[in-house]
Amino acid sequence: MKLKSLAFPAVLIGALELWARTTGQGSDAIAPPTAAVRAFGGALMDGSLLEATAFTLGSAALGLLIGALGGVLLGTLLGLSRRAAQLGYLSVEVARPIPSVALIPLAMLVFGFGLRMEVSVVAFACLWPMLVLTQAAVLQVEPRLLEVARALQLSRLQRFVWIVGPAIVPRLFVALRLGVAIALVVAVTVEIAANPHGMGYAMMIAQQSLDPALMLAWLAWIGVVGYAINTGALALQRWVARRMGEQTA
């Protein structure tokens, strides 16, 4: 990371600190960044930070896993079979635009509050980008490879394991990076809207308690967690690409 990239955020933080301690002193909405740092330390010491973070990340990861598995399987089927793609086109195009948060009332009725409700909404949100990108990746597989598979009379499972799967792995990691971001965003949104657990709920409680310092601390921490996850996913993508002999930027 270049130091120059930190200049603009540092200026913004300094300006916010100055405003909060002068013109905005006593505000119920904005607190000085130094106060947010102290609130962050308090949440870390009492264990609430780690507990809420673990719940959100666990929900996001489990939802992403379920959505990714379903998306890859269905996307591969639709990519390999023109008939399946034609039959499933309308269903996919109708269900895909539905906002995942619109399912919160239904998920609450089915699962109640807690982990299962959040995971179901996250899985629905991650399913569609994984499905669409997997289908596109399968359609871009070299046709001659599929001709060889047919000539060798490989079954569909063998065709996927030996030819299609390895060919689409690099593109799948692009879909995975998108899915990781979606999973975290949706998990936090569900917690803000309905689920009394996790980082989103903790931030809402801080806001309702008129504790702007703690609210800003949670907001900044969610941003840090998201950045760390995206960086890790990018590093994994580059490692896999290098292992497969591809050039990375």
Side-chain angles (χ1 to χ4, degrees):
M1 179 187 296
K2 296 181 179 179
L3 293 179
K4 292 181 179 180
S5 64
L6 299 176
F8 184 63
V11 170
L12 287 180
I13 292 173
L16 178 59
E17 180 77 22
L18 179 62
W19 180 87
R21 293 195 177 278
T22 54
T23 307
Q25 190 172 11
S27 171
D28 291 332
I30 300 296
T34 50
V37 171
R38 289 194 296 270
F40 175 84
L44 180 61
M45 293 300 295
D46 66 20
S48 59
L49 182 83
L50 298 180
E51 181 181 354
T53 302
F55 182 88
T56 299
L57 292 183
S59 301
L62 187 54
L64 175 62
L65 176 62
I66 296 172
L69 287 176
V72 170
L73 291 175
L74 290 175
T76 302
L77 174 63
L78 298 180
L80 290 176
S81 172
R82 181 175 299 180
R83 178 174 296 180
Q86 291 173 344
L87 291 175
Y89 175 80
L90 182 60
S91 299
V92 171
E93 293 304 311
V94 168
R96 185 167 60 89
I98 298 175
S100 56
V101 292
L103 294 182
I104 292 177
L106 176 61
M108 289 176 60
L109 287 175
V110 176
F111 300 112
F113 294 110
L115 180 66
R116 293 189 299 170
M117 184 270 281
E118 188 168 326
V119 167
S120 65
V121 178
V122 173
F124 179 86
C126 295
L127 171 68
W128 305 110
M130 295 297 298
L131 185 154
V132 171
L133 292 176
T134 299
Q135 183 181 4
V138 172
L139 292 174
Q140 293 173 11
V141 173
E142 177 60 48
R144 285 175 295 184
L145 294 177
L146 298 178
E147 291 176 3
V148 170
R150 284 192 290 270
L152 295 175
Q153 297 183 343
L154 298 181
S155 66
R156 290 192 176 185
L157 178 59
Q158 291 173 324
R159 197 184 312 174
F160 176 79
V161 171
W162 297 107
I163 295 179
V164 176
I168 67 175
V169 163
R171 298 183 181 92
L172 285 184
F173 273 90
V174 176
L176 181 62
R177 283 187 62 200
L178 177 61
V180 164
I182 291 174
L184 181 61
V185 169
V186 173
V188 172
T189 302
V190 171
E191 292 162 1
I192 291 175
N195 201 18
H197 304 280
M199 295 189 290
Y201 178 70
M203 186 170 65
M204 283 297 298
I205 289 298
Q207 178 263 325
Q208 293 171 1
S209 303
L210 298 180
D211 189 350
L214 183 57
M215 181 187 68
L216 290 178
W218 278 110
L219 180 60
W221 176 241
I222 291 171
V224 169
V225 170
Y227 176 80
I229 291 175
N230 182 69
T231 301
L234 179 59
L236 180 61
Q237 178 185 348
R238 289 174 173 171
W239 179 80
V240 171
R242 286 195 300 268
R243 294 282 294 180
M244 299 187 68
E246 294 195 357
Q247 296 295 324
T248 58

